[in-house]
Amino acid sequence: RLVCRFVRPQRPPEHIRPDDAFAIEAAARYVSLIPFLADSDLFPQLNDIWCTDQEFLNFQCGDWEEHAILLCNYFNYIDSYRK
């Protein structure tokens, strides 16, 4: 899959208000609280897998790609909301 299929503005959880001056920090904190788990630990039979945001949130853990993409999507939403 291409990374562009994963990157899109996504509304963060309700407690993160996009009009808040500290929305970026709140989104970063929220994503940082999701545990890190390498793909090889989650899916031993696969080398590398990229989950959608919803799959990542359902599993409640993920590796670098999942954290980065979810955070990017929240930032894009907050950014577009402020324009």
Side-chain angles (χ1 to χ4, degrees), residues 39-80:
D39 289 336
S40 59
D41 295 331
L42 192 56
F43 303 103
Q45 69 279 16
L46 302 172
N47 287 339
D48 191 28
I49 186 168
W50 285 31
C51 298
T52 65
D53 288 344
Q54 191 57 55
E55 291 168 335
F56 175 47
L57 292 171
N58 289 345
F59 289 140
Q60 298 179 356
C61 62
D63 66 359
W64 300 279
E65 295 95 355
E66 285 82 23
H67 283 86
I69 291 170
L70 182 63
L71 189 57
C72 175
N73 290 347
Y74 286 165
F75 285 176
N76 283 334
Y77 181 88
I78 293 166
D79 228 21
S80 67

